[in-house]
Amino acid sequence: MAAQASTANNRGHLEPFACAMTQAPLTRAHCEALDAQDPLAGCRDRFTLPAGVIYLDGNSLGALPRCVPERMRQAVEQEWGVGLIRSWNDAGWYPAPQRVGARVAQLVGAQGHEVIMADSTSINLFKLLVAALRMRPGRSLIVGEVGNFPTDAYVAEGVAELTGARFEAVAPQEVMAALNEQVAVLSLTHVNYKTGRVYDMAAITQRAHEVGALVIWDLAHTAGALQCDLNGCDADFAVGCGYKYLNGGPGAPAFAFVAQRHHAWLRQPLTGWHGHAQPFAFDQGYRPAPGMDQLLVGTASQLGLIALESALTAFDGVDMAALRRKSLSLSDLFIRLVDEQVPGFGLATPREPDLRGSQVSLTHEQGYAIVQALIARGIIGDFRAPDILRFGFAALYVRHVDIWDAVAALKDIMGTREWARPEFMAKKAVT
Ligand SMILES: Cc1ncc(COP(=O)(O)O)c(C=O)c1O
């Protein structure tokens, strides 16, 4: 496979898995042996995975943690059904955005009071972009990246139009060079949604600070997937999704991070009543709540928060360094098996482990149909236009044998041209 050039740095340590990787052609038994020595193997039981499915799409919608249905049943039947409005006080509903945020904070290297759950990633990005611009009066340039997830660019364009700022997207390898004294805010996604390439958060943040700019990191494909040390990198702001590697369910609430040193200057633009200093005083004028509470807007999506909070227990006791090691072992294995067994694909993801998130993206002009053929066999990845076959490896529940079986199916689908069947060519609304 031909790998595309990449930038970034995020060193992970590969032992013990990579050391166990033999130079001889791999076998399924070898993959079984890797699973047998996996310290996270027991975590798979924390999830409900349908029989016959190999789920390689945790980067779009995480699998269902086993504990969530019972917790939701209790929330709906007891807390909502019996407790009714009293549950805002009695069932811990009201402080849930802060409480769940504190749990997410542990996964992204933040202090508990620096993270809050609210709204969607797109909306949190809007709030933080405007807040960051307000912290840099006299500067009006927002720098983003070409190839970022569209919402990041769309929101930056909207903010620029609203505030009179200018938005400029530069190529990923030009980000460092684009940083100068005119830049108010740099807005980047840590792990690229298409390629899986990882930026060097520490180095970029440091350079941005040297020129007086602030940085917003989108952690949609980072949180729960790899180690992240926001405070260790001196990060300013971050946002991220609850429904991907955090397994919070479809449309789960998103999170926002603001470093404590910025709390005193935080002024976000969506001045709703839940971000007020005293929501239940029903004052006529807006007074922002101190700290992260200000990022709340309207009534929190309580059932979504309850599902996410329950789902996050799947990370209890999990060493994120071990999770990263396993994730890299899975993606190394996938790349090697495709190299060895299935010619004809390009590789959009960096081969260097340090530069790779928790996914592998192949390229092929028939990518859409090939993904549909895989899904028909229960091997679920996704397609990103124009030609990317994207496979996410959620290390809590994906095994090495799953990678072996997925590549074996891919080999068969390519060898028999199964992908060319008409039903695999018809485009669906969600890819
Ligand atoms: C990098 C990135 N940012 C943001 C989003 C969208 O977030 P939301 O739908 O919560 O606004 C996605 C969705 O896939 C994404 O990949």
Side-chain angles (χ1 to χ4, degrees):
M1 275 185 293
Q4 288 172 3
S6 56
T7 58
N9 181 315
N10 195 36
R11 180 149 289 281
H13 299 284
L14 290 173
E15 302 80 12
F17 288 103
C19 293
M21 198 74 95
T22 163
Q23 292 308 307
L26 293 169
T27 61
R28 195 173 192 282
H30 189 87
C31 297
E32 284 169 1
L34 289 173
D35 288 330
Q37 67 174 52
D38 173 10
L40 298 179
C43 294
R44 185 175 163 86
D45 279 345
R46 298 178 179 182
F47 292 84
T48 303
L49 293 158
V53 165
I54 294 177
Y55 195 59
L56 304 180
D57 214 356
N59 48 324
S60 272
L61 175 67
L64 172 64
R66 204 176 283 282
C67 54
V68 170
E70 173 54 26
R71 178 68 187 97
M72 292 308 287
R73 197 186 60 73
Q74 181 200 12
V76 171
E77 292 181 5
Q78 294 300 317
E79 296 175 14
W80 179 11
V82 179
L84 293 163
I85 192 78
R86 295 170 291 191
S87 288
W88 282 104
N89 288 316
D90 300 347
W93 286 2
Y94 192 62
Q98 295 85 348
R99 191 175 66 238
V100 181
R103 180 68 186 97
V104 171
Q106 294 170 8
L107 300 175
V108 294
Q111 301 182 76
H113 65 281
E114 293 174 315
V115 176
I116 199 157
M117 309 309 298
D119 306 309
S120 66
T121 303
S122 306
I123 292 175
N124 288 335
L125 199 53
F126 176 82
K127 291 183 268 189
L128 293 187
L129 267 172
V130 174
L133 279 172
R134 285 173 166 170
M135 289 180 193
R136 287 294 176 270
R139 296 189 183 202
S140 58
L141 180 58
I142 304 169
V143 171
E145 56 171 315
V146 173
N148 198 351
F149 187 77
T151 213
D152 297 66
Y154 300 162
V155 169
E157 283 170 21
V159 167
E161 197 181 329
L162 198 70
T163 61
R166 191 160 60 83
F167 171 60
E168 193 180 311
V170 302
Q173 62 274 17
E174 304 296 334
V175 164
M176 283 294 210
L179 288 169
N180 58 46
E181 274 73 17
Q182 291 173 3
V183 179
V185 192
L186 173 66
S187 175
L188 297 177
T189 294
H190 184 224
V191 178
N192 185 271
Y193 80 108
K194 266 191 182 170
T195 65
R197 181 224 57 235
V198 184
Y199 276 120
D200 186 338
M201 182 183 284
I204 291 175
T205 303
Q206 186 187 340
R207 179 68 196 133
H209 289 174
E210 281 166 8
V211 300
L214 297 164
V215 188
I216 302 180
W217 291 101
D218 184 334
L219 303 180
H221 298 272
T222 304
L226 46 150
Q227 286 158 295
C228 177
D229 189 4
L230 285 170
N231 282 329
C233 294
D234 207 20
D236 301 297
F237 305 99
V239 294
C241 303
Y243 51 78
K244 295 178 187 292
Y245 292 100
L246 299 181
N247 310 304
F255 67 89
F257 158 86
V258 179
Q260 184 182 321
R261 66 181 178 282
H262 294 311
H263 285 193
W265 288 272
L266 186 65
R267 282 306 299 268
Q268 70 101 349
L270 296 179
T271 48
W273 71 298
H274 275 256
H276 190 278
Q278 286 183 294
F280 288 90
F282 298 106
D283 286 347
Q284 284 307 298
Y286 182 78
R287 275 184 299 121
M292 296 302 285
D293 292 5
Q294 185 196 136
L295 286 168
L296 298 175
V297 181
T299 307
S301 169
Q302 198 55 230
L303 293 177
L305 277 171
I306 289 169
L308 176 59
E309 182 170 37
S310 177
L312 288 168
T313 63
F315 286 92
D316 285 355
V318 171
D319 171 9
M320 293 304 282
L323 184 110
R324 175 68 171 154
R325 279 194 293 274
K326 181 177 176 192
S327 154
L328 286 174
S329 176
L330 294 168
S331 54
D332 275 344
L333 176 66
F334 187 89
I335 291 171
R336 181 166 166 194
L337 287 174
V338 173
D339 273 343
E340 283 179 7
Q341 303 189 13
V342 201
F345 286 94
L347 179 65
T349 303
R351 281 183 188 276
E352 305 89 310
D354 300 353
L355 309 186
R356 197 190 311 142
S358 198
Q359 73 184 61
V360 173
S361 298
L362 306 178
T363 59
H364 195 287
E365 60 180 5
Q366 295 298 339
Y368 180 80
I370 297 166
V371 167
Q372 296 310 307
L374 281 167
I375 292 173
R377 289 178 178 225
I379 295 156
I380 303 180
D382 61 23
F383 171 77
R384 288 291 174 264
D387 62 352
I388 289 194
L389 301 85
R390 194 173 69 151
F391 302 96
F393 306 115
L396 289 183
Y397 52 82
V398 175
R399 301 165 300 187
H400 293 84
V401 286
D402 295 327
I403 303 295
W404 176 272
D405 293 342
V407 176
L410 182 63
K411 184 178 176 185
D412 199 48
I413 285 166
M414 298 313 290
T416 59
R417 288 181 60 84
E418 191 174 302
W419 56 266
R421 296 212 313 239
E423 68 264 34
F424 298 142
M425 298 286 189
K427 284 261 162 71
K428 294 183 180 148
V430 177
T431 62

